[in-house]
């Protein structure tokens, strides 16, 4: 055993143990006095980070619960308002039922006065609770509560939010079907019992009217509205069996509307959602007319035959039940060749029909002819092909039986303008023109580049070429080549083309390809070429047949009678004239804007164009279809209330486009282009204005009261659906609150397990460290006194 004075190992060891015991005691005292296990990050860095995350989640969830409770309170307030509106509907039904009685001998005007005040009060209360059209809460309400997790592409924010969609739960009078847009026929014509000459019974039994029906016993109305306009319009086929008066007519029309809405197409679904229904309209003199109303949609209705045209009030006279003519016809530019005439060579003739509601692309009918095919056979094939084409039949287009020595006559029975064009008939045997197709007598209808074949390039000989740009009128050029070369011919053509502003704008140029003259458009414009005469100087008359100067097809009996009616109580842009865009690169931008319920501006834009890569503005029908599809694809509910419809004009004027909407005011910004074609008013912004008077239920007449009873029955259902959506939202918030409360509790428990001290264990530790500290101090004292024992050795 050794003794040391300089280094007291025992004392040093005692000091270290005493320090550790003291530190442990200090932390233990801190934990006991604070109640926390983690006093600093050094105690448990990972645990502290997790605990802080839990604490932050609790803060979010606690505020989220308050958010959900606020939402629940709002929905409870709305629910109470709807309950009150339900009582108002009860009163309105009582008044309507009283007025609808045939034995009522009191003053219906008094009943109607109270009835109208009830309607106004419904509107006021709907606005007070924010569920009027465009109201504060008439939208999808998203309340962030928290506690969500990201998974499967769904973010934490989306998963942690509760959504209550009240967009379709508005409860004002219009939304409940007690007010709305309204389209009616000519009410000056009484189709009720007031004028037997034009009564429903007379109209539906008249032989002339019945001869216009595409299907025996079935009359049709065509509707245009948001999601069902242009090419996507909806045809409602009304069964006339049992229709003897205006009441049975309305019943049959509404059955047909229901059937049309149940079809499995997107346009049919949009039509069904519009809630259009037929009603009886009665004016102050007792005259009755067929009307159509919708509580949600702006729309247009037009006749599809003479029966429906007469039922809309378009009759030849006040005492004659025959509907005004809906026939539009197109005559060929010249008579057809003799029936037995055969074609000079085998070829494919393309007959293009566009307009009349047909959208892009237009309908092309291909006729394959040989040297044995007679004109009579070709015409019969064309007539058969048109009769079998579903689009042409839906548009009411047909080729009438040919008459020897006369031009072909194409007809449309819906009062729609249309055009007929041809390519590949190089001898003009059909009388529709001698424009060539892309390879002479075969190939595509039109083209953006065309190479000649077998050009003679005969110097100093004139040749006349006709150009049709985008299906437009013929542009005639007469020129000659100075020398017998292809390049000289191309140069001569370019010099002549430069004198035509239209051809220059279309970018038409001539050059040489493979030793032949080639015509092409630098702007991608589709064009056709017609060689007049039998020469082939430039190579564009491949068969050297006698080409005819193009005589434009004419409309000999173009109908000018109004057969379409636009609903009142809407916003409209007013009709805007439209001219087809013919030149490639001459696009026009149209922008439609409106405000959503929150006041934010929503816009959608579309480029109208017609070239080799894109065509949506070759006709007014193509433009309308393109505009409406762009609006619907915006997926914005405020914009999707806007719809473009065709406005017919009197003879000589171009068809126009009218933008209508059942929503708020909107704007149409019309872009400019070089030709000025497309929509007119270029470079301006057209503001919508109020148009017409909408429908409001009234009970001043027995017939009106009967309609009101039906409307109120539907209103009760609509109100119930709205209240169900509100109730569902209340349940959603309650469930969300329950979950969030549970999450707060469990998150707090999880944080506690990490952050809070186990006081029982800490008390035991404190007792242990106290004893160790006392023992350590005593041991250290003894260790410090050990070197003094060495002095006993030195006393000797």
């Amino acid at each position: 055993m050794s003794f040391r004075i300089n280094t007291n190992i025992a004392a040093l060891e005692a000091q270290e143990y005493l320090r550790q015991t003291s530190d442990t005691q200090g932390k233990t005292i801190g934990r006991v006095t604070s109640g926390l296990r983690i006093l600093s990050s050094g105690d448990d860095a990972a645990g502290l980070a997790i605990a802080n995350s839990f604490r932050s989640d609790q803060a979010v969830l606690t505020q989220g619960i308050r958010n959900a409770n606020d939402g629940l309170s709002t929905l409870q307030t709305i629910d109470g308002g709807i309950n009150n509106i339900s009582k108002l509907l009860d009163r309105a039904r009582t008044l309507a039922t009283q007025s609808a009685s045939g034995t009522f001998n009191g003053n219906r005007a008094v009943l109607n006065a109270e009835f109208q005040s009830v309607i106004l009060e419904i509107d006021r209360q709907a606005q007070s609770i924010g569920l009027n059209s465009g109201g504060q809460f008439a939208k999808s309400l998203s309340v962030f509560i928290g506690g969500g997790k990201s998974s499967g592409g769904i973010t934490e924010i989306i998963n942690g939010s509760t959504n209550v969609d009240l967009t379709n739960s508005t409860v004002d009078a219009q939304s409940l079907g007690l007010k709305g847009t309204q389209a009616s026929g000519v009410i000056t014509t009484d189709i009720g019992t007031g004028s037997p000459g034009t009564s429903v019974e007379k109209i539906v039994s008249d032989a002339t009217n019945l001869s216009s029906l595409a299907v025996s016993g079935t009359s049709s109305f065509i509707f245009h509205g948001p999601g069902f306009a242009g090419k996507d319009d909806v045809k409602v086929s009304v069964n006339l069996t049992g229709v003897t008066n205006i009441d049975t007519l309305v019943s049959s029309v509404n059955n047909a509307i229901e059937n049309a809405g149940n079809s499995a197409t997107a346009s049919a679904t949009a039509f069904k959602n519009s809630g259009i229904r037929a009603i009886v309209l009665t004016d102050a003199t007792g005259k009755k007319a067929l009307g159509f109303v919708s509580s949600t949609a702006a729309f247009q209705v037009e006749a599809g035959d003479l029966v429906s045209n007469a039922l809309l009030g378009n009759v030849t006279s006040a005492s004659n039940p025959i509907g005004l003519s809906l026939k539009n016809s197109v005559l060929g530019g010249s008579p057809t060749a003799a029936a037995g005439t055969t074609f000079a060579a085998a070829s494919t003739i393309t007959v293009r029909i566009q307009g009349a509601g047909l959208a892009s692309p237009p309908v092309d009918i291909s006729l394959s002819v040989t040297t044995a095919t007679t004109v009579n056979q070709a015409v019969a094939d064309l007539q058969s092909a048109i009769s079998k084409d579903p689009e042409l039949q839906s548009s009411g287009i047909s080729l009438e039986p040919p008459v020897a020595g006369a031009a072909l006559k194409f007809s449309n029975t819906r009062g729609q303008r249309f055009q007929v064009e041809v390519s590949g008939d190089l001898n003009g045997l059909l009388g529709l023109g001698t424009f060539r197709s892309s390879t002479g007598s075969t190939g595509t209808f039109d083209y953006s580049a065309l190479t000649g074949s077998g050009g003679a390039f005969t110097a100093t000989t004139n040749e006349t070429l006709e150009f049709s740009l985008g299906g437009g009128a013929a542009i005639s050029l007469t020129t000659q080549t100075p020398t017998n070369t292809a390049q000289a011919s191309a140069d001569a053509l370019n010099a002549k083309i430069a004198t035509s502003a239209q051809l220059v704008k279309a970018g038409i140029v001539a050059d040489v390809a493979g030793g032949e003259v080639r015509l092409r458009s630098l702007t991608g414009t589709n064009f056709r070429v017609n060689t007049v005469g039998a020469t082939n100087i430039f190579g564009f008359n491949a068969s050297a047949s006698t080409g005819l100067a193009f005589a434009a097809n004419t409309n000999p009996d173009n109908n000018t009678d109004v057969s379409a009616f636009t609903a009142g109580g809407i916003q409209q842009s007013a009709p805007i004239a439209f001219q087809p865009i013919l030149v490639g690169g001459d696009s026009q931008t149209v922008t439609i804007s409106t405000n959503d319920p929150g006041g934010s501006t929503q816009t959608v834009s579309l480029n109208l164009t017609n070239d080799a890569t894109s065509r949506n503005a070759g006709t007014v029908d193509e433009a309308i279809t393109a505009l409406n599809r762009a609006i619907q694809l915006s997926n914005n509910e405020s914009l999707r209330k806007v719809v473009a419809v065709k406005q017919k004009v009197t003879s000589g004027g171009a068809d126009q486009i009218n933008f209508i909407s059942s929503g708020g005011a909107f704007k149409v910004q019309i872009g400019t282009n070089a030709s000025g074609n497309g929509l007119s008013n270029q470079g301006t912004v057209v503001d919508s204005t109020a148009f017409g008077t909408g429908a409001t239920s009234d009970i001043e007449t027995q017939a009106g009261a009967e309609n009101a009873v039906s409307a109120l029955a539907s209103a009760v259902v609509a109100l119930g659906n709205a209240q169900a959506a509100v109730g569902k939202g209340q349940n959603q918030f309650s469930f969300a609150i329950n979950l969030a409360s549970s999450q707060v509790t469990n998150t707090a428990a999880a944080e506690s397990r990490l952050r809070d001290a186990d006081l029982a264990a800490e008390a035991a530790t404190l007792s242990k460290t106290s004893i160790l500290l006392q023992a350590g101090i005593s041991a250290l004292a003894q260790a410090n006194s050990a070197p003094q024992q060495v002095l006993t050795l030195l006393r000797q």
Side-chain angles (χ1 to χ4, degrees):
M1 179 176 179
S2 61
F3 293 92
R4 299 180 181 88
I5 298 175
N6 291 335
T7 303
N8 191 339
I9 301 300
L12 293 175
E13 289 178 345
Q15 290 177 35
E16 176 60 20
Y17 289 132
L18 188 59
R19 182 189 64 78
Q20 293 178 9
T21 301
S22 179
D23 288 346
T24 301
Q25 186 185 50
K27 289 182 179 180
T28 302
I29 291 172
R31 289 169 180 168
V32 171
T33 56
S34 69
L36 298 176
R37 182 181 70 86
I38 304 173
L39 297 175
S40 66
S41 59
D43 293 338
D44 185 353
L48 181 61
I50 296 172
N52 286 342
S53 174
F54 285 151
R55 185 177 62 191
S56 180
D57 289 344
Q58 290 175 63
V60 171
L61 287 166
T62 301
Q63 181 58 50
I65 291 172
R66 286 196 288 267
N67 292 347
N69 278 318
D70 290 344
L72 181 59
S73 298
T74 299
L75 291 185
Q76 288 171 343
T77 301
I78 292 173
D79 194 25
I82 292 177
N83 283 332
N84 209 46
I85 291 175
S86 178
K87 296 176 183 178
L88 289 169
L89 287 181
D90 293 343
R91 181 55 184 165
R93 294 189 80 180
T94 300
L95 295 169
T97 303
Q98 185 178 7
S99 182
S101 172
T103 59
F104 179 77
N105 55 9
N107 188 347
R108 285 190 170 90
V110 175
L111 294 179
N112 190 53
E114 183 182 352
F115 183 85
Q116 296 304 322
S117 69
V118 170
I119 299 297
L120 291 174
E121 183 61 15
I122 289 174
D123 280 338
R124 189 192 70 80
Q125 295 197 13
Q127 184 175 0
S128 296
I129 61 175
L131 278 189
N132 57 311
S133 297
Q136 180 182 3
F137 301 120
K139 57 186 177 182
S140 181
L141 304 174
S142 178
V143 176
F144 181 67
I145 299 174
K149 301 297 179 184
S150 59
S151 175
I154 300 176
T155 65
E156 291 183 11
I157 298 298
I158 294 175
N159 186 245
S161 300
T162 296
N163 294 293
V164 178
D165 190 359
L166 299 182
T167 304
N168 299 316
S169 299
T170 49
V171 294
D172 56 341
Q174 181 172 349
S175 301
L176 296 177
L178 305 179
K179 287 183 178 179
T181 61
Q182 173 179 293
S184 66
V186 184
I187 204 166
T188 54
T189 302
D190 185 8
I191 67 171
T193 58
S195 177
T198 57
S199 67
V200 170
E201 185 178 10
K202 291 284 187 181
I203 290 171
V204 300
S205 61
D206 182 84
T208 302
N209 288 341
L210 294 176
S211 67
S212 70
L213 300 181
V215 178
S216 179
T218 301
S219 179
S220 62
F221 296 87
I222 294 90
F223 289 86
H224 312 273
F228 54 99
K231 187 178 181 180
D232 303 314
D233 60 19
V234 170
K235 181 179 180 180
V236 172
S237 300
V238 181
N239 187 350
L240 299 178
T241 303
V243 174
T244 57
N245 54 47
I246 195 165
D247 294 318
T248 54
L249 170 66
V250 167
S251 176
S252 186
V253 171
N254 282 327
N255 287 336
I257 288 174
E258 182 178 357
N259 292 334
N262 289 332
S263 297
T265 63
S267 57
T269 300
F271 176 66
K272 182 176 183 178
N273 292 338
S274 71
I276 295 173
R277 59 186 176 87
I279 61 169
V280 179
L281 295 177
T282 306
D283 69 2
T285 66
K287 291 180 179 179
K288 296 183 178 182
L290 176 63
F292 297 90
V293 295
S294 168
S295 61
T296 60
F299 66 96
Q300 184 187 72
V301 58
E302 65 174 306
D305 49 62
L306 295 187
V307 173
S308 56
N309 206 24
L311 291 173
L312 287 174
N314 288 319
V315 292
T316 54
S317 71
S319 59
N320 192 327
I322 300 176
L324 289 172
S325 175
L326 294 173
K327 186 177 181 180
N328 268 346
S329 297
V330 171
L331 281 178
S334 59
T336 60
T341 305
T342 57
F343 289 83
S347 64
T348 298
I349 299 172
T350 302
V351 177
R352 172 167 288 182
I353 301 175
Q354 57 187 11
L358 297 169
S360 180
V363 175
D364 288 340
I365 302 294
S366 295
L367 301 175
S368 296
V369 299
T370 66
T371 54
T373 304
T374 65
V375 169
N376 193 41
Q377 290 172 330
V379 171
D381 290 344
L382 177 60
Q383 192 173 30
S384 174
I386 290 175
S387 68
K388 294 177 181 178
D389 187 278
E391 287 196 68
L392 295 179
Q393 289 305 295
S394 177
S395 298
I397 293 176
S398 64
L399 172 59
E400 297 189 8
V403 177
L408 293 179
K409 187 175 184 179
F410 300 81
S411 295
N412 166 260
T413 57
R414 279 181 48 181
Q416 302 268 11
R417 287 187 175 92
F418 66 104
Q419 300 85 42
V420 180
E421 301 170 326
V422 73
S423 70
D425 184 14
L426 301 184
N427 294 104
L429 300 186
L430 298 180
L432 301 175
T434 57
F435 283 101
R436 59 170 287 162
S437 58
S438 60
T439 56
S441 57
T442 60
T444 59
F445 177 84
D446 48 14
Y447 24 80
S448 58
L450 177 67
T451 302
S453 175
F457 312 130
T458 306
T460 68
T461 301
N462 286 333
E463 182 165 87
T464 299
L465 297 179
E466 290 182 332
F467 294 82
S468 172
L469 303 176
I475 302 168
S476 181
L477 298 179
T478 300
T479 189
Q480 58 182 238
T481 179
T483 61
N484 298 336
T485 65
Q487 187 59 57
S489 299
D491 293 342
L493 272 176
N494 281 326
K496 198 66 177 179
I497 288 170
T499 64
S500 170
Q502 291 174 284
L503 295 179
V504 171
K505 193 178 298 180
I508 303 296
V509 296
D511 57 18
V512 177
E516 297 286 352
V517 175
R518 177 178 63 176
L519 292 169
R520 59 194 180 97
S521 169
L522 301 179
T523 63
T525 300
N526 289 313
F527 64 92
R528 289 178 298 157
V529 174
N530 178 37
T531 302
V532 180
T535 60
N536 194 31
I537 295 175
F538 299 108
F540 299 116
N541 189 357
S543 63
S545 58
T546 301
L548 305 175
F550 179 67
N553 299 326
T554 59
N555 292 9
D557 47 7
N558 181 34
N559 174 63
T560 59
D561 299 316
V562 175
S563 62
F565 298 90
T566 301
I570 62 170
Q571 290 279 321
Q572 70 159 3
S573 66
I576 304 171
F578 178 88
Q579 291 290 345
I581 293 177
L582 305 176
V583 177
D586 199 28
S587 63
Q588 179 186 46
T589 301
V590 179
T591 301
I592 301 165
S593 60
T594 188
N595 289 340
D596 62 18
S600 300
T601 300
Q602 305 295 327
T603 63
V604 61
S605 296
L606 173 71
N607 284 331
L608 296 176
T609 188
N610 182 9
D611 56 35
T613 58
S614 176
R615 170 177 175 151
N616 62 14
T619 66
V620 66
D621 302 280
E622 292 176 6
I624 287 173
T625 296
L627 286 164
N628 284 320
R629 289 182 175 175
I631 291 170
Q632 291 302 306
L633 288 174
S634 71
N635 288 325
N636 181 277
E637 292 305 317
S638 298
L639 285 171
R640 293 176 73 173
K641 292 182 179 179
V642 180
V643 59
V645 296
K646 182 159 60 176
Q647 197 79 22
K648 298 179 183 178
V649 296
T650 56
S651 180
D655 283 335
Q656 300 174 324
I657 296 178
N658 191 12
F659 294 88
I660 60 178
S661 172
S662 61
F666 63 91
K667 299 177 184 292
V668 181
Q669 183 176 348
I670 304 173
T672 60
N673 57 13
S675 69
N677 286 0
L679 287 170
S680 63
N681 301 334
Q682 294 194 357
T684 66
V685 176
V686 178
D687 292 301
S688 68
T689 57
F691 170 74
T693 303
T696 301
S697 296
D698 73 78
I699 59 172
E700 196 160 349
T701 64
Q702 182 180 350
E706 290 171 350
N707 287 332
V709 169
S710 299
L712 284 163
S714 299
V716 170
V717 174
L719 186 70
N721 291 337
Q723 193 161 20
V726 173
K728 182 181 74 172
Q730 292 182 60
N731 289 335
Q732 284 181 257
F733 283 138
S734 295
F735 294 140
I737 291 170
N738 291 340
L739 175 61
S741 298
S742 173
Q743 287 176 305
V744 168
T745 301
N746 292 320
T747 304
E751 183 197 6
S752 175
R753 281 189 287 271
L754 287 170
R755 193 189 298 274
D756 292 348
D758 183 347
L759 292 181
E762 297 301 333
T765 301
L766 183 61
S767 298
K768 181 181 73 173
T769 55
S770 296
I771 295 171
L772 287 174
L773 188 62
Q774 293 175 22
I777 292 172
S778 176
L780 179 60
Q782 293 181 27
N784 286 335
S785 64
Q788 295 180 5
Q789 302 300 322
V790 178
L791 294 176
T792 59
L793 298 175
L794 297 176
R795 288 184 188 146
Q796 298 176 355

